[in-house]
Amino acid sequence: MCGIIGYLGPKSVVPLLVEGLKKLEYRGYDSAGVAVVDGDEVRVRRVLGKIAVLEDSLRAEPLGGAFGLGHTRWATHGRPNERNAHPHIDCRGEIVIVHNGIIENYLALKGRLREEGHDFRTETDTEVIAHLIEKHFRGDLAAAVRSAAAELEGAFAVAAMAVRDPRKIVAIKKGPPVVVGIGRGETLVSSDLNPILEHTSRIVFLEDGEMAVIGEDGPVFTDFRGSPVEKKVEAIAWNPLMIEKRGFKHFMLKEIYDQPEVIRDTISGRVSLDAGEVLLGEIGLGEDVLGKIRKAVIIACGSSYHAGLAGQLFLESLARIPASVEYASEYRYRDFLLDGDTLAVVISQSGETADTLAALRASKPLCAAVVAVTNVVSSSIAREAHGVLYTHAGPEIGVAATKTFTAQLTALALLALYLGQKKGVLGAEAVVSFLEEMQRLPHKVERVLAKAKAVEELAARFAPFAHFLYLGRWISFPAALEGALKLKEISYIHAEAYAGGEMKHGPIALIDEKMPTLAVVPRDRVYEKMLSNIAEIKARSGYVVAVADEDDAAIAGHVDAVIPVPKAHPLLTPFLTVVPLQLLAYHIASKRGADVDQPRNLAKSVTVE
Ligand code: AGP
C-alpha cells in the first residue's frame, strides 16, 4: 500500500523525508516522491522506481525547504510512472498533497472540476483532492481540506500543505491509518509508526473522520466539521533498533530468527503456572459475555487466515468451542448468520487489512463480541473490536509474514485455553500442562533454527523447480498452507497446499518427478494416513521431503529427505514445522535473486479492497 509522511520542525526536511520513506518501503511501492514549501513555492520531486532513484535525483538537484511531505506509491489508479507518482499539486502549484487509499467518486469529481476550469495532469484518483482543496481554499488550509473531504467518497489518508497558509500540514483520515508523532518542537505525520519512532515515541492515532492541523506549536485535533477532538497521546515502546536488520541479510530472515523471543514475549505476563491460569483480562470481555459464548467465527486473510485454521483446532480441542474460519474478503459479502452466542475472532497482524476491517464491521452488531488478534497497537481493527489480544512480535518489516504468524498461533492458543478455563472444560492441571508445553516452544524453535544450514542446502537442490506441492493433515494442514504461501510470495514459484486426504480427489494427477512434495508429518493422529499419501506419491515418481519428528527413525525409509524438528504437543507442532518451511522459501527466493523483503506486486498491509 502507499505510504505517506510529513514533517514540520527545525530539522532539514528532505533528508528526513527520504529516511522516513525508506522506513515505509516494506509496504510495497512502485514510485516515490517528496515535496517542500520553499518560500512562496512548492517544489516537487517524483521518480518511478525505488527510493534510491529519488536519492540520486535529489543529490543531482537538491531540494531545500522548511517543511514537507513524502510518499511511496503502490499504484491503484494510473500506471506506475513519474507523472502519476505523488505528491500531487493543484492548478497553480500552491497546494500539494499525498494520499493513501482510493477515491471511489473521482471520475465524477474530475468531470465537475474540469468543467470549472481545473487542469488535470495525471491519471490518478488522488489529483482530484488537490483541485478540490484549491476550489475551497480561501486562505485557511484546514477549512479547505474539510470542505474537500466532505465531497470525497472512498478511503483516504491525506496530508496537505499550501504556500498561502505556510508552516502548516493538515492530515485527515477515513480508512487507511494516519499516525501523528509529537516531538520537541517538531511534529511528524505518517501511515505508520516506523518513520516516526526515531524522532519521538509520543504518538496519536487518528480515527476515521478526524483531522490533525499541524503548526509550529504542534498538532491540534478536530473532526471533519472542525469541532475539537480530545486525543490520547500514547507512548509507544517499539524502539528503532527493533526495526533494524541486526546483521541479517534481509528483514525476513531476521524475523524468522526473532520467533523464539516473540513466542516468549506473547506468552509473557499472561499465564500463572502457580494458579494454573491464563490471564487474559486485558481482552476486556466481561464474565457475562464470556459465559454466553457457545461458538466462534474466525475471520482473516492470508497468513492470518492460516493461523486462524490452527486457532479453529485449538478452540475445538482445548475449549470445546466449534469454530468456522472465513476468508474476510468472501465473508463480508455473504448473507452470513451470527447470533448472540458467537465470538468473532478477527486476526490481522497490521490491523489495517481493508477486507478484514469490513468483515469486522459487518459482524460486530450481530455477534456476542469481537476480539481482535493484532500486532499493531491502536490499529483500526484493534480500535473497532470489543477486545484486543495483542501479539507482541514487534514491527514486522518483511512483507512475508513469519514471526507474526507464530505470534498469532501463540495468542490463539492462549485464547483457547482462556475460554476453556472460563467455560469450565479445562481444569488448572490441564492448563498448566499445556502452558508448560508452550513455554518449551522457544527453545525448541531455537533448535530448529540451529539446523538451518541443512534447509539452505536443500533449497539449493529445489531452486530450479517450477512447481511444488505441500501436504499436511489436521493441525499440519495450516502449516502446509503457510509454507506454500511463503514460497509463492517471495520466490514467485507456483506452490499448492492440500489437506493430505484430498490428494486422491484430483491433485495426485499432478505428481511426477518435476513436482516435489513437502509433507508435514509429525507423529500425531494422522501420521499413518500421511504415510499412505507419501507412498502414493512415491509410487508415481514423486520426490518427497518430510518435515518430521527428529526421533522418527522410520520416516527416512519412506521419503527422499527429512527435515527433523523436535517433538511437541500434537496441537503445537505448527510452531516447529512452519520454521523450516519459512527458511526453505527464504533460501530458494534468495538463490533466485528475488527481492525477499519487498516481493513484486505485494504490500505489507492491504488497506484497499
Ligand atoms: C503473508 O505473508 C502476506 N503478507 C499476506 O497474506 C498477509 O498475511 C495478509 O495480507 C493479511 O495481512 P494482515 O494479517 O495484516 O491482515
Side-chain angles (χ1 to χ4, degrees), residues 287-335:
E287 296 297 327
D288 56 327
V289 173
L290 290 167
K292 282 194 299 187
I293 291 165
R294 296 286 176 274
K295 50 185 176 297
V297 57
I298 300 171
I299 307 168
C301 299
S303 290
S304 297
Y305 174 84
H306 299 155
L309 288 170
Q312 174 189 45
L313 301 178
F314 295 157
L315 286 172
E316 69 183 23
S317 296
L318 297 171
R320 306 305 290 149
I321 291 176
S324 66
V325 188
E326 309 292 349
Y327 282 117
S329 56
E330 284 294 302
Y331 192 67
R332 61 179 291 200
Y333 297 111
R334 284 180 18 202
D335 302 323

Side-chain angles (χ1 to χ4, degrees), residues 301-304 347-353 356 381 399-402 408 482 485-486 489 602-606:
C301 299
S303 290
S304 297
I347 309 172
S348 173
Q349 80 80 19
S350 64
E352 300 300 344
T353 298
T356 309
I381 284 171
V399 165
T402 48
Q408 288 167 350
E482 182 56 16
L485 177 60
K486 291 298 90 99
E489 66 176 328
L602 289 181
K604 184 62 183 172
S605 174
V606 184

Side-chain angles (χ1 to χ4, degrees), residues 249-261:
K249 185 179 174 190
H250 294 106
F251 279 112
M252 181 181 175
L253 190 58
K254 167 194 167 287
E255 287 150 6
I256 290 172
Y257 278 79
D258 282 346
Q259 290 180 112
E261 181 185 355

Side-chain angles (χ1 to χ4, degrees), residues 498-580:
Y498 272 95
E502 277 299 293
M503 279 293 285
K504 53 190 173 298
H505 300 292
I508 197 161
L510 291 170
I511 297 302
D512 60 24
E513 63 288 349
K514 295 193 294 295
M515 186 172 197
T517 297
L518 274 296
V520 184
V521 53
R523 261 190 317 208
D524 56 17
R525 64 178 72 174
V526 289
Y527 176 76
E528 295 302 331
K529 294 296 179 195
M530 280 298 291
L531 291 185
S532 304
N533 287 136
I534 290 167
E536 290 157 9
I537 294 170
K538 291 303 298 168
R540 293 162 177 80
S541 315
Y543 186 91
V544 181
V545 176
V547 180
D549 291 349
E550 61 191 5
D551 66 352
D552 180 351
I555 192 70
H558 296 269
V559 299
D560 301 283
V562 180
I563 304 175
V565 297
K567 279 190 71 59
H569 184 288
L571 283 171
L572 297 178
T573 56
F575 285 86
L576 303 171
T577 57
V578 79
V579 176

